[in-house]
């Protein structure tokens, strides 16, 4: 059977268009920090950001991969176009560098917890003191830019907590959900620390590298994120990782 040239071209265009629309796989990067990602959790939880990204792509019916990497590596891969999207706090850097697809949660606090008996009312009270912060976190945040604070960069929240309990630092910084979860895993109670102070609040967003994801897929993920947020799904995820003592 013979086909005209126009028929053949029309068939090729239709096939190419169909293949291109289903071939896009969104490459997520997730910070390898508890509770953003959990490994071998006794309760079977996968991690706060893993829950969020999985829920979004499942609702949007989008194919995806997820690379769990150190924070600095995720940031570099976003800048180089290796990673497409990330669940992360909105910061001056991300506002300038990434596409803000959709808000996930309107408030995640960055907190400081001090050693027992150390009273502070603001971050400036830590001038001349030692503050432990996981390396690669909080770019452009006051916990990194406030002058005259000696910052001790740690590998994770667990190391920060151990330094605090050993009296080697005066305070530690982190997101509330991360520090509270880490307190629980290290058997730290509210009585084991001094002041717990919120120093900054940021919204959590789905963010993607510019020019990496099609407008159609971005729209699907935006719609899915909005629906999940309005249904209270993301708030449920937040509460899943905060111990009752700190709620």
């Amino acid at each position: 059977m013979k086909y005209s040239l126009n028929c053949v071209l029309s068939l090729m265009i239709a096939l190419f268009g169909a293949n291109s629309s289903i071939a896009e796989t969104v490459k997520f990067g997730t910070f390898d920090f508890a509770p953003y990602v959990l490994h071998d959790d006794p309760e079977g939880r996968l991690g706060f950001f893993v829950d969020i990204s999985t829920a979004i792509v499942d609702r949007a019916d989008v194919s995806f991969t997820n690379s769990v990497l150190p924070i600095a590596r995720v940031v570099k891969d976003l800048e180089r176009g290796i990673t497409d999207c990330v669940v992360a706090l909105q910061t001056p850097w991300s506002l300038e560098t990434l596409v803000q697809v959709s808000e996930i949660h309107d408030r995640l606090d960055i907190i400081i917890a001090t050693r027992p008996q150390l009273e502070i009312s603001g971050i400036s009270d830590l001038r001349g003191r030692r503050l432990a912060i996981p390396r690669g976190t909080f770019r452009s945040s006051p916990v990194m830019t406030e002058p005259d604070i000696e910052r001790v960069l740690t590998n994770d929240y667990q190391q920060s907590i151990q330094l605090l309990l050993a009296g080697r630092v005066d305070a530690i910084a982190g997101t509330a959900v991360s520090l509270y979860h880490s307190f629980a895993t290290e058997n730290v109670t509210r009585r084991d620390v001094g002041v717990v102070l919120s120093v900054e609040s940021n919204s959590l967003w789905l963010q993607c590298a510019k020019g990496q994801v099609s407008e159609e897929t971005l729209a699907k993920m935006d719609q899915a994120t909005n629906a999940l947020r309005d249904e209270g799904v993301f708030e449920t995820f937040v509460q899943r990782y905060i111990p009752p003592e700190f709620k």
Side-chain angles (χ1 to χ4, degrees):
M1 183 180 294
K2 294 183 179 180
Y3 294 93
S4 70
L5 180 59
N6 287 339
C7 287
V8 172
L9 289 175
S10 298
L11 181 61
M12 291 176 64
I13 291 171
L15 289 173
F16 179 80
N19 287 337
S20 63
S21 65
I22 65 174
E24 184 172 28
T25 297
V26 180
K27 300 183 291 293
F28 274 79
T30 300
F31 307 140
D32 194 7
F33 259 69
Y36 305 150
V37 173
L38 294 181
H39 305 280
D40 302 319
D41 179 63
E43 298 182 30
R45 297 170 299 181
L46 299 179
F48 181 36
F49 286 1
V50 174
D51 288 345
I52 291 172
S53 58
T54 302
I56 291 171
V57 295
D58 284 350
R59 179 67 66 92
D61 194 22
V62 170
S63 176
F64 83 113
T65 61
N66 192 6
S67 297
V68 176
L69 299 167
I71 290 176
R73 175 67 182 277
V74 174
V75 171
K76 287 183 180 179
D77 284 356
L78 282 166
E79 292 174 333
R80 296 171 180 172
I82 298 171
T83 293
D84 297 329
C85 297
V86 66
V87 172
L89 293 178
Q90 206 173 55
T91 65
W93 173 83
S94 70
L95 284 169
E96 179 180 351
T97 307
L98 304 176
V99 176
Q100 307 301 299
V101 180
S102 192
E103 185 181 67
I104 294 166
H105 197 282
D106 63 351
R107 177 174 178 144
L108 287 183
D109 288 343
I110 296 174
I111 64 172
I112 288 174
T114 70
R115 57 176 170 77
Q117 285 79 55
L118 177 59
E119 296 290 330
I120 64 171
S121 59
I123 191 171
S124 61
D125 293 335
L126 289 176
R127 291 178 178 176
R129 299 186 182 274
R130 291 164 60 87
L131 174 66
I133 306 175
R135 60 174 46 86
T137 59
F138 308 124
R139 185 184 294 193
S140 303
S141 169
V143 296
M144 289 299 294
T145 59
E146 181 71 23
D148 302 323
I149 296 175
E150 182 182 351
R151 292 171 180 84
V152 179
L153 301 183
T154 60
N155 295 325
D156 50 35
Y157 288 112
Q158 284 70 31
Q159 186 179 22
S160 292
I161 291 170
Q162 290 162 9
L163 291 176
L164 184 71
L165 297 179
R168 296 175 59 188
V169 297
D170 297 296
I172 58 178
T175 60
V177 65
S178 299
L179 273 186
Y180 291 154
H181 174 82
S182 297
F183 282 158
T185 61
E186 296 295 311
N187 297 314
V188 173
T189 69
R190 184 63 185 83
R191 297 183 299 274
D192 296 320
V193 298
V195 173
V196 176
L197 180 70
S198 175
V199 295
E200 184 181 0
S201 293
N202 298 87
S203 53
L204 185 68
W205 281 67
L206 171 63
Q207 307 176 57
C208 295
K210 295 177 180 178
Q212 289 291 110
V213 181
S214 70
E215 292 296 327
E216 179 184 358
T217 298
L218 288 176
K220 287 181 179 179
M221 293 195 296
D222 177 35
Q223 184 177 12
T225 304
N226 290 335
L228 291 165
R229 184 188 64 246
D230 293 344
E231 293 166 13
V233 173
F234 297 139
E235 180 59 31
T236 300
F237 292 162
V238 172
Q239 298 305 316
R240 181 181 294 175
Y241 294 95
I242 297 179
E245 181 179 2
F246 292 98
K247 289 183 180 178

